[in-house]
Amino acid sequence: MNSRQAIPVVVLTGFLGSGKTTVLNHLLGNRGGTRIGVVVNDFGSIEIDAMSVAGQVGDSMVSLGSGCLCCAVDGSELDAYLEKLAAPVHRIDVIVIEASGLAEPQEMIRMLMASENPDIRYGGMVQVVDAAEFDATRDKHPGTDRHLAVADLVVLNKTDRVDGAERARIEGVLGTLCAPGTPVIGADHGRIDPELLFDRRPWTETRGQLSFEDLLAEADDHDHDHGHDHEGDHCAHAHASYESVEFVSEQALSPRRFIDFLDRRPAGLYRIKGFVYFGVPGHEERYEVHAVGRFLRFVPQPWGRGEPRLTQLVLIGSGTDGPALLGELADCREPSPRELGPESMWGVLRYVARREPESEPESEPEPQPEPGADPG
């Protein structure tokens, strides 16, 4: 039986010139010890640990570490290349697909959600928008509005090129084009915190191999010693507005109240990650929860031997009321989980991929979440 956790696949979209590659390069340069597999512009590249930026990877090159395989990738081959990326030998933690500027992200999302590969799971769609060319892009590419409607999170890039009034106007328009509650993150030069999309492993876990990541980190240390932390200053400013709060409970959570909490989470709450213990009979596993913007997924997992039954959550956002969020989560506690019936879990199970048949309620089939659908 395969005990490996499925690798999240994040779809990065946006029309030509919006700054997708800049965002991707920033993620790669600030990923800590995380191993990122990348599919770029409908062509495959693998194990980016050997390159400093995605732009240095040939568009038709798949780097396999011990050699190279040149091959163009079309949509029908995407699943095959994700299977290669997910191979245990590469030790990939997350896969980012940088879609072509003219790609239809809806089709890519459907392909990922319909995939029968147990080693990958859809991890959300991020749409990059050029603030300076917002109106011109919508005029030139009418599909922009359609793509924004299914985005889980929007990165409003190049905010340094517009004034405050124009940025507010664009954010107002985005509020009408995106689904209710879709977060919009402002950025300049594509600088967003990677933690908003995926976990960063401590760099010390992977350091020691001769890789570009080691060389970049050593160069960064050198720059710090000489006071040339220009990029670092930018990163610090970019991340300064993000706040993180942690919630831990030894008491089980009510699945219904927790889903209600997720349904009404504020737009500024960009990411939720961690594990939830519901304790409902037949559903005593720990449920990994992963939310990026509006995207939500639960993954049931067995508890480790001797592992305490706890709920442990991290919430990352901007402009949110941390104490209020913690208070709402505290109100989700359930004193008598074993008295709850299986129907109490239906809201959670709606966002569980590849459920075992016996987990589904017998009286009512459970709908699958549509790509970009708002929970609830």
Side-chain angles (χ1 to χ4, degrees):
M1 183 176 179
N2 184 4
S3 61
R4 293 201 313 131
Q5 292 190 19
I7 300 171
V9 180
V10 177
V11 179
L12 184 65
T13 68
F15 283 102
L16 297 172
S18 62
K20 297 189 304 297
T21 300
T22 304
V23 171
L24 178 58
N25 288 346
H26 177 74
L27 295 175
L28 291 170
N30 295 273
R31 60 201 166 108
T34 301
R35 293 182 180 271
I36 305 177
V38 181
V39 179
V40 180
N41 291 330
D42 290 336
F43 291 94
S45 62
I46 192 170
E47 186 50 279
I48 305 303
D49 194 43
M51 294 79 177
S52 59
V53 292
Q56 290 180 292
V57 181
D59 280 348
S60 59
M61 184 74 67
V62 177
S63 172
L64 298 176
S66 59
C68 294
L69 174 66
C70 297
C71 46
V73 180
D74 60 29
S76 64
E77 296 173 311
L78 178 61
D79 198 53
Y81 277 89
L82 290 175
E83 184 176 353
K84 291 183 179 181
L85 285 163
V89 66
H90 303 302
R91 295 186 294 157
I92 297 294
D93 297 306
V94 63
I95 297 171
V96 178
I97 298 178
E98 182 192 344
S100 164
L102 301 178
E104 285 293 340
Q106 298 97 320
E107 296 306 315
M108 197 169 297
I109 292 170
R110 288 191 178 95
M111 186 182 306
L112 290 170
M113 296 187 74
S115 173
E116 297 182 357
N117 183 350
D119 293 326
I120 64 169
R121 59 179 170 86
Y122 176 55
M125 172 186 152
V126 180
Q127 176 87 6
V128 182
V129 174
D130 184 340
E133 302 292 334
F134 179 66
D135 293 328
T137 299
R138 290 184 68 202
D139 290 339
K140 187 176 181 180
H141 302 290
T144 301
D145 293 2
R146 186 175 65 256
H147 296 178
L148 285 167
V150 298
D152 296 300
L153 184 147
V154 175
V155 175
L156 182 59
N157 196 28
K158 307 183 185 180
T159 54
D160 56 311
R161 295 178 54 189
V162 298
D163 59 26
E166 175 65 1
R167 175 174 174 175
R169 182 190 72 83
I170 294 172
E171 290 177 342
V173 176
L174 289 172
T176 66
L177 298 176
C178 299
T182 303
V184 177
I185 300 175
D188 64 89
H189 298 86
R191 298 185 181 100
I192 65 172
D193 192 337
E195 291 285 351
L196 299 180
L197 303 182
F198 54 79
D199 293 336
R200 283 183 291 183
R201 292 169 53 194
W203 181 54
T204 52
E205 289 186 12
T206 56
R207 189 172 186 174
Q209 301 176 8
L210 183 58
S211 68
F212 270 85
E213 184 170 358
D214 294 324
L215 297 176
L216 285 172
E218 290 176 6
D220 187 52
D221 290 341
H222 181 76
D223 285 342
H224 286 183
D225 292 340
H226 290 79
H228 301 305
D229 188 21
H230 302 301
E231 176 70 15
D233 289 340
H234 281 300
C235 290
H237 291 311
H239 303 167
S241 62
Y242 301 146
E243 299 174 334
S244 174
V245 294
E246 298 181 3
F247 174 79
V248 179
S249 174
E250 296 181 358
Q251 195 172 46
L253 298 193
S254 161
R256 284 175 171 160
R257 289 198 290 275
F258 186 59
I259 286 294
D260 287 343
F261 166 81
L262 295 174
D263 282 348
R264 63 176 183 269
R265 65 191 187 272
L269 185 54
Y270 302 136
R271 185 162 185 230
I272 302 173
K273 60 181 180 177
F275 302 94
V276 185
Y277 174 53
F278 296 114
V280 176
H283 302 279
E284 290 92 348
E285 313 99 313
R286 70 174 189 175
Y287 281 76
E288 178 187 359
V289 60
H290 171 75
V292 173
R294 294 183 308 112
F295 174 76
L296 175 65
R297 176 68 71 211
F298 287 97
V299 182
Q301 301 172 344
W303 295 96
R305 180 175 297 179
E307 185 177 2
R309 273 48 174 171
L310 295 173
T311 291
Q312 298 175 293
L313 296 171
V314 177
L315 298 84
I316 303 173
S318 176
T320 55
D321 186 337
L325 290 174
L326 293 177
E328 290 184 50
L329 285 170
D331 290 340
C332 293
R333 292 190 175 111
E334 173 55 56
S336 304
R338 298 201 61 81
E339 296 180 8
L340 299 179
E343 68 279 359
S344 66
M345 289 292 296
W346 289 359
V348 172
L349 295 179
R350 180 183 177 193
Y351 299 99
V352 172
R354 305 179 189 92
R355 296 182 302 273
E356 295 296 329
E358 59 267 27
S359 297
E360 299 185 8
E362 298 177 358
S363 59
E364 179 180 336
E366 295 175 32
Q368 291 295 316
E370 291 297 322
D374 198 13

